Amino acid sequence: MSASIAIQVLPQVDNDAEVCRIVDQVIDYIKSTGLNYQVGPFETTIEGESYDQLMDIVKECQHVAVRAGAPKVSAYVKVVYRPDGEILTIDQKIGKYQRS
């Protein structure tokens, strides 16, 4: 793994139910990429071999939210990138804390 991102997508809509509906569509899109990902209460972490692919996913998450009905969307993104080596994977970082 040479890159990972954590993305929090915040659609600017009128109620919590609508936020959840739109975020669910963004997560469905992330799932459709086939990359390893982990949904958390505040953000979703995605890992991959291609920095450019992950940046394209970040961009598309905004488009998905707008197509789902968000008139405005904010995103907070964290990036780890190591072009010539490995980074810690999701499992290495939190695997020991996962419930069985």
Side-chain angles (χ1 to χ4, degrees):
M1 220 42 58
S2 67
S4 71
I5 61 169
I7 183 168
Q8 179 184 39
V9 175
L10 297 171
Q12 304 295 309
V13 292
D14 294 335
N15 61 67
D16 291 344
E18 190 67 356
V19 169
C20 290
R21 183 189 68 76
I22 293 169
V23 169
D24 285 346
Q25 289 191 35
V26 172
I27 293 169
D28 285 344
Y29 161 69
I30 291 168
K31 182 179 180 180
S32 78
T33 68
L35 296 178
N36 189 36
Y37 70 97
Q38 173 88 33
V39 176
F42 291 101
E43 63 192 13
T44 298
T45 304
I46 311 161
E47 49 190 20
E49 292 300 329
S50 169
Y51 173 84
D52 290 335
Q53 180 185 26
L54 292 175
M55 292 299 100
D56 288 344
I57 290 169
V58 166
K59 182 171 83 172
E60 185 60 19
C61 286
Q62 313 315 298
H63 295 296
V64 169
V66 169
R67 284 193 303 269
K72 179 181 174 184
V73 61
S74 297
Y76 299 92
V77 180
K78 300 172 191 172
V79 179
V80 176
Y81 177 49
R82 188 173 187 180
D84 295 324
E86 295 289 313
I87 62 166
L88 289 173
T89 65
I90 293 170
D91 189 54
Q92 289 170 316
K93 291 176 185 175
I94 64 169
K96 64 185 172 187
Y97 302 110
Q98 299 301 304
R99 295 181 184 161
S100 318

